[in-house]
Amino acid sequence: MSFVKPLLLGAASGLFALHASAAELRVGVEIPELSVAEYHKPYVAIWLENKDNREVTNLEVWYDAGMENNKGNKWLKDMRQWWRKSGRELDMPVDGITAATRGPGKYDISFEASDARLKDLPAGNYQLRVEAAREVGGRELISIPFSWPVDKAFTASKSGSKELGEVALSIEP
Amino acid sequence: MKPIKLMSAVVLAGATLMASQVNAHRAWLLPDAASFSGEKPIATFDAAVSNEIFNFDHFALDPKQFQVTAPDGSSVEVENGAKLRYRGVFDVTLKQEGTYRVFTASQGMRAMWKDADGKRQMYPGRGQAFDQAEFDKVVPKKADGLTVSQFSRRLETFVTNGTPSDNAMTVSGKGFEMKPVTHPNDLYAGEEATFVFLMDGKPVKGAEVVLVREGTRYRDDQDSIEAKTNAKGEITVEWRGAGRYFMEAEYEDNKAKAPATERKGSYSLVLEVLPE
């Protein structure tokens, strides 16, 4: 286990392993209600980015995956940070990551530490990044820094101003 | 090279010669967007010579003169080409993943002299393409005021479907060219980008490069970025915000092959810089 801190080695490692298996990372994403003439549900990418090596771990990507001839892929690039850092190298849709777009509301998604996306995540400094882009609308990116793993519960949140409402991150050790 | 391409080169030489006679004008090939996602996206282009960047205020470049190199190195035809009064338009379907180069390039020699009657002569003439056999036949070996120069022109742009690919970083080794250090379809405001200029495959110092961000009509100044290549042939650019940029570079030296005494190169490129 690469993320075991030296102090926890030995007698404590068993205990830590027990905790690690119960660990959970939760992301709350709010899609705001917008009063616009033409509303399309936004494309949203939610990923973890290692601050040191820029490695990207995709958590979810909400987009129009079901359109005929993959027409919905055309707007993936509008999530420009995600597109540059990861999207353009993926063969979309990706199983377990892609999901349908969602309308205004609050959404919670949670991942156990044993989840395929997290189980090999190296210890380090990260940012949770949530990027939303809406057809004939705007684009917004929210970043929340955090360390992985945690030894005590961690919570943080930030509010967007246009395309995103509150974005919250909570991690249980 | 297919015959159609040869013909295109002829058309180009004419167009670019005319362009060079009106110095203030800029020739460019403008993609509507440079980064694409999805299945077989279609890149659409405007090709024109203008004063304003990027408005259509002078004349059209013929779509027929442009060649397209796909990520795998194969040649692709332009589609839906039309030459309107002030701009040429065409599309390219990006069937492959990676970077496409769309370009037109020509090289040759240009001679000026005075004939026996003291009348000024030149080859190639206005609107005429360079042809070596014709050059040998028409240009005298000795004449009053005879000057011969090597010329090279290239006008290009890049568009990418998905991940930018390295084929954009290769050069032909002929004439005046730009070799990107920073990928030309991976440019972001707030970051720097480096480009190397080469003449016949070798980096050249002192090439003059000017970059102008789009929208000159809507501001008081050109607000151009001007740079000269260093000993490694490089320039490094700090972008002035997101947008599409017109880049133009010129170079000349006296290292030409006889009978030419100087070599001149001109280069034009359009780049898209995305917001952070």
Side-chain angles (χ1 to χ4, degrees), chain B residues 90-144:
Chain B
F90 62 89
D91 295 332
V92 176
T93 304
L94 312 180
K95 289 180 186 152
Q96 298 172 25
E97 289 256 325
T99 302
Y100 284 70
R101 180 195 296 264
V102 187
F103 69 103
T104 176
S106 66
Q107 293 122 41
M109 285 193 288
R110 192 173 288 148
M112 289 172 104
W113 70 96
K114 281 182 187 157
D115 64 18
D117 305 328
K119 218 174 132 200
R120 283 185 65 156
Q121 299 288 339
M122 63 190 271
Y123 179 85
R126 186 174 295 196
Q128 198 181 0
F130 170 79
D131 177 87
Q132 186 66 55
E134 188 70 9
F135 181 94
D136 294 342
K137 203 166 81 188
V138 175
V139 180
K141 296 282 175 284
K142 277 183 188 168
D144 190 17

Side-chain angles (χ1 to χ4, degrees), chain B residues 193-197 207 209 211 227-230 233-237 247:
Chain B
T194 300
F195 306 97
V196 176
F197 287 86
V209 188
L211 289 111
K228 271 191 186 182
T229 56
N230 64 18
E234 287 174 351
I235 60 154
T236 295
V237 179
M247 179 199 271

Side-chain angles (χ1 to χ4, degrees), chain A residues 77 83 88, chain B residues 31 33-38 41-43 45 69 71 92 94-102 157-168 183-187 272 274:
Chain A
K77 66 164 171 32
W83 180 248
R88 67 192 187 187
Chain B
S35 291
F36 294 84
S37 59
I42 295 170
F45 298 84
T69 308
V92 176
L94 312 180
K95 289 180 186 152
Q96 298 172 25
E97 289 256 325
T99 302
Y100 284 70
R101 180 195 296 264
V102 187
T157 196
F158 300 91
V159 291
T160 293
N161 178 20
T163 313
S165 52
D166 283 349
N167 53 310
H183 195 288
N185 288 148
D186 202 17
L187 306 173
E272 183 180 47
L274 294 171

